[in-house]
Amino acid sequence: MHNHTVGRAGYPDRDGFVTLDACIMDENGNCGSVGAIQDIAHPISVARLVMDKTPHVMLVGDGARQFAIEQGIKPEKLLTAESKAAWKKWLKKAEYSPVMNIENKQARQGSKYNHDTIGMLALDAKGNIGGACTTSGMAFKMHGRVGDSPIIGAGLYVDNEVGGATSTGVGEEVIRNVGSFLVVELMRQGMSPEEACKEAVARIIKKKPEVAKQIQVGFLAINKKGEYGAYALQEGFSFAVCDNNKQDLIIPGKYFYKEVK
Ligand code: ASP
């Protein structure tokens, strides 16, 4: 369990609770989401159940957990000994400081505190688009903090007339700019997926230039033609593509700022 940014073994919040955010959206505008859910290893499955089985879009906290258990999902403790030890170590200083591009840094220097999201966009043979995203959010966040990932329009958005987009990085800046909705709307106006992602990242810089230099945010998008693209604030955001020809192709996303190593 070396991944500390999503699901089981995710780093906890500052009070020691692992809380997860996830959402899902289909080609008909159906969507479901869970925020700050605890003890459920696959929050995306609960988001799917919210979409399929309730009249609502979003369930949070205890209500989301209760719903998951009612639907037959077994609760389990997600805080591993390793994550607990990292939290205890963090408590000594208790400084909240997101570290960007943890996936690269983990490979380089062993596991550290941080944040990441799994965002997925899919185009089927009929040309329908769907998407999902899931995360344990920012390591050592305040208890009750919800990021962009479960918020339709922020962490994920799909409009089957146009395309889909998803995001990763510091969710507060994505929410402020309704990032994924913005990317889809920019594609509607004629931008390519990469151009739309770049413009959405540029808005983040424009709104908070000093913050933008210190954090990571990345967007990924696909359009109806199956063209895809990504753009990030910082170097180090990469994405994977699977189609008939390629499986697991890792593509480095373009970026505004070169990472200081
Ligand atoms: N977007 C996630 C959040 O803010 C974290 C990440 O993707 O790095 O919770």
Side-chain angles (χ1 to χ4, degrees):
M1 282 291 157
H2 296 299
N3 189 316
H4 299 299
T5 56
V6 285
R8 196 181 286 115
Y11 282 144
D13 63 24
R14 68 181 191 183
D15 296 332
F17 301 105
V18 179
T19 70
L20 308 172
D21 296 338
C23 77
I24 189 164
M25 190 163 191
D26 76 8
E27 75 276 14
N28 297 314
N30 298 315
C31 43
S33 124
V34 289
I37 191 170
Q38 289 184 47
D39 305 332
I40 303 293
H42 303 295
I44 194 65
S45 304
V46 190
R48 175 75 196 239
L49 287 164
V50 172
M51 174 171 92
D52 290 344
K53 303 234 163 122
T54 80
H56 306 306
V57 166
M58 189 167 197
L59 294 178
V60 302
D62 285 348
R65 182 180 182 278
Q66 183 190 325
F67 170 70
I69 294 167
E70 280 165 17
Q71 292 296 316
I73 296 177
K74 266 184 108 167
E76 54 183 290
K77 288 291 158 221
L78 303 179
L79 186 64
T80 58
E82 196 180 300
S83 294
K84 191 173 178 182
W87 168 61
K88 292 267 182 207
K89 196 170 161 206
W90 175 83
L91 277 176
K92 289 187 185 141
K93 282 195 181 164
E95 273 168 13
Y96 179 72
S97 59
V99 181
M100 59 184 79
N101 296 328
I102 193 64
E103 64 282 14
N104 301 348
K105 291 197 167 95
Q106 266 172 344
R108 271 205 311 268
Q109 56 186 231
S111 104
K112 269 194 100 187
Y113 316 139
N114 227 312
H115 59 96
D116 201 7
T117 293
I118 297 177
M120 284 152 290
L121 300 168
L123 177 70
D124 74 9
K126 294 185 194 135
N128 290 326
I129 297 175
C133 87
T134 179
T135 185
S136 53
M138 311 297 288
F140 316 129
K141 60 194 174 186
M142 289 175 72
H143 186 56
R145 180 265 189 187
V146 169
D148 58 321
S149 305
I151 299 180
I152 298 295
L156 175 76
Y157 195 68
V158 170
D159 185 322
N160 209 39
E161 287 182 356
V162 180
T166 187
S167 66
T168 184
V170 175
E172 282 72 9
E173 302 315 311
V174 178
I175 294 171
R176 239 187 274 293
N177 292 277
V178 200
S180 292
F181 180 75
L182 175 61
V183 171
V184 171
E185 288 305 300
L186 290 167
M187 290 196 290
R188 190 193 301 279
Q189 290 164 26
M191 286 190 186
S192 71
E194 185 183 300
E195 285 166 350
C197 291
K198 184 177 184 185
E199 173 59 22
V201 177
R203 297 270 180 103
I204 289 175
I205 298 174
K206 201 169 169 202
K207 204 160 274 179
K208 302 246 173 225
E210 291 315 312
V211 174
K213 282 184 206 146
Q214 306 298 324
I215 62 163
Q216 177 64 302
V217 170
F219 291 103
L220 173 66
I222 190 167
N223 67 16
K224 286 293 275 186
K225 288 186 251 168
E227 297 163 339
Y228 51 81
Y231 220 92
L233 278 171
Q234 316 284 341
E235 183 181 11
F237 167 58
S238 48
F239 59 100
V241 177
C242 293
D243 64 17
N244 286 344
N245 310 313
K246 318 181 251 323
Q247 300 288 312
D248 250 12
L249 176 68
I250 306 291
I251 302 178
K254 295 188 181 161
Y255 52 87
F256 281 97
Y257 304 123
K258 199 157 176 59
E259 189 188 5
V260 184
K261 299 205 165 114

